Amino acid sequence: MLPYGRQSISEDDISAVVEILRGDWLTTGPAVAALESEISRLSGGHRAVTATSGTAALHMAYAAAGIGPGDEIVATPMTFIATTAAASMLGARVRFADVEEDTGLIDPSAVAAQLSDRTKVIAAVDYAGHPADYDALQSLADSVGALTLDDAAHSIGGSYRGRPVGDLADMTTFSFFPTKNLTTGEGGAFVAKDPVLAQRAHEFHYIGLVRDPDRFRITTEGPWHQEVHEFGLNYRLPDIASALGLSQLQRLEAFKRRRAEITARYNAALSDVDGVRIPTQRDDVDPVWHLYPLRVEGGRRREVFDKMRAAGIGVQVNYMPVYWHPVYTEQGYKRGMCPNAESFYAEELSLPIFPGLSDAQVDDVIDTLLTAMR
């Protein structure tokens, strides 16, 4: 079975991890600091805090924003549930805004209709690696005193109107899962423009520990002293994983180029095929294509999915609208809330795309799809 995504691990990656295993640091050490520095450089110079997963990074973001009971977030339904789950766990109410019909990205006009005086965060997702319209989203957030959050699990290395992902929203989260644009095995990162938010996220992911003597509330202890002012969790990424991430970052541009080549090959072959729609790309965006989200029209998505899987092509579907999950339907969320997202989901089929995919394999995917469409 040809998978829809696969990590690319080189001998340099392996050597980087082995070097850590032979050294003194396994958990939080110099490799963590170096990876955070590199992520900051990619993200417009803003402070980066690594995490054990993209989900952990989202939890850190909502905690840093002070999300709690009575607060609301406005979010896209076209995403993996982690985007909203962390806010829900903190007690917030999620208000889902529909997506643009063509891109699957959160629609600023739909966001505007969901804003209230309780809105604390507008959470966008750079679906498939294509950044959302952050100028419009930031204006909306500013109008109600909210923060913007870019769930950039798909888009590290991309840009919007000349600005890099990581510099587009007040807060940004990354995922370094194996199928993403670079990997640390499991892992993620949080980036904030506001140093106060970044420090709050850092302390939250470090069990809430405060180590700054100027902030101590207990002043009678010795140099060993540390204290907790707010509860946190252990979301620290280890040096082992960070070494892999540092090595992977050296190939991020090459990964991006190859994903663009694969996307162009798919587009050239499929743009005029009846019954399918290729992904939309805005002129002001330079994406990193994490997914190739084809649209299969005419109610044939399941049929084509089954035929391609039977032929050994590991297609996938990304994503069922978040509010369809029982954990949300049991809270009263109903189907029909976001018709564009539901229509997008009914047609979406993710074709294989990863840096190690050869041109011959791409052509095999194309030929199998064309056969399945007959």
Side-chain angles (χ1 to χ4, degrees):
M1 180 71 71
L2 182 70
Y4 87 97
R6 176 185 284 158
Q7 67 271 20
S8 173
I9 301 297
S10 68
E11 288 301 318
D12 286 343
D13 294 338
I14 294 169
S15 296
V17 173
V18 170
E19 183 177 351
I20 295 296
L21 292 172
R22 288 179 172 149
D24 294 328
W25 295 90
L26 295 181
T27 55
T28 304
V32 170
L35 179 59
E36 290 177 345
S37 177
E38 284 300 297
I39 294 169
S40 171
R41 181 184 61 79
L42 279 173
S43 303
H46 308 297
R47 184 177 176 184
V49 182
T50 50
T52 51
S53 68
T55 302
L58 285 160
H59 198 183
M60 290 157 55
Y62 291 124
I67 291 293
D71 295 328
E72 294 181 350
I73 73 162
V74 179
T76 173
M78 186 50 55
T79 183
F80 186 59
I81 193 172
T83 304
T84 61
S88 296
M89 291 177 68
L90 288 168
R93 176 75 175 171
V94 182
R95 297 175 68 93
F96 289 100
D98 207 355
V99 300
E100 297 171 341
E101 188 279 334
D102 54 351
T103 63
L105 299 168
I106 195 168
D107 185 341
S109 64
V111 171
Q114 297 295 335
L115 295 177
S116 76
D117 58 2
R118 293 185 174 183
T119 305
K120 293 287 288 290
V121 172
I122 296 173
V125 170
D126 296 340
Y127 178 76
H130 188 298
D133 185 352
Y134 287 99
D135 286 352
L137 294 174
Q138 192 67 56
S139 178
L140 290 168
D142 292 344
S143 73
V144 294
L147 296 169
T148 50
L149 169 61
D150 175 4
D151 181 343
H154 296 179
S155 61
I156 189 170
S159 65
Y160 163 85
R161 296 181 179 174
R163 294 159 54 206
V165 171
D167 187 45
L168 306 180
D170 294 313
M171 304 181 293
T172 302
T173 60
F174 297 116
S175 172
F176 304 141
F177 188 73
T179 58
K180 298 301 196 297
N181 298 333
L182 65 92
T183 188
T184 57
E186 285 276 7
F190 167 89
V191 173
K193 292 183 177 180
D194 184 345
V196 174
L197 288 173
Q199 183 61 25
R200 284 178 58 85
H202 171 79
E203 289 175 6
F204 182 80
H205 104 302
Y206 214 111
I207 322 171
L209 290 175
V210 175
R211 295 181 165 183
D212 179 1
D214 291 338
R215 295 173 56 204
F216 285 165
R217 299 176 189 173
I218 302 169
T219 59
T220 57
E221 300 302 307
W224 61 84
H225 183 61
Q226 55 191 356
E227 56 192 44
V228 173
H229 298 171
E230 295 181 81
F231 290 118
L233 296 168
N234 182 358
Y235 280 156
R236 294 172 298 180
L237 194 68
D239 262 31
I240 298 170
S242 296
L244 176 57
L246 282 165
S247 181
Q248 289 261 304
L249 274 170
Q250 296 180 40
R251 292 189 288 149
L252 181 58
E253 280 301 314
F255 291 161
K256 179 181 178 181
R257 284 194 301 273
R258 182 55 188 157
R259 287 176 178 275
E261 290 169 358
I262 294 167
T263 297
R265 200 172 186 91
Y266 280 143
N267 287 347
L270 302 175
S271 60
D272 295 326
V273 175
D274 290 339
V276 301
R277 292 171 60 186
I278 64 173
T280 297
Q281 179 178 337
R282 298 280 188 252
D283 292 338
D284 54 4
V285 166
D286 180 20
V288 179
W289 288 107
H290 163 63
L291 299 174
Y292 187 87
L294 190 75
R295 302 275 291 276
V296 180
E297 300 174 320
R300 299 188 62 197
R301 194 269 309 276
R302 177 60 186 269
E303 171 198 345
V304 174
F305 177 96
D306 288 342
K307 286 180 177 179
M308 296 194 73
R309 281 288 183 100
I313 304 298
V315 289
Q316 186 54 282
V317 172
N318 305 95
Y319 299 95
M320 182 177 80
V322 171
Y323 56 83
W324 283 22
H325 286 280
V327 70
Y328 281 115
T329 61
E330 290 167 5
Q331 297 177 41
Y333 293 89
K334 305 291 186 183
R335 295 193 181 198
M337 294 169 48
C338 298
N340 285 348
E342 295 183 17
S343 295
F344 194 99
Y345 166 65
E347 297 179 346
E348 200 276 338
L349 187 72
S350 297
L351 301 186
I353 182 169
F354 53 91
L357 197 65
S358 69
D359 285 350
Q361 288 173 318
V362 173
D363 292 343
D364 188 34
V365 173
I366 293 167
D367 291 342
T368 304
L369 175 66
L370 296 177
T371 299
M373 292 292 297
R374 292 189 186 120

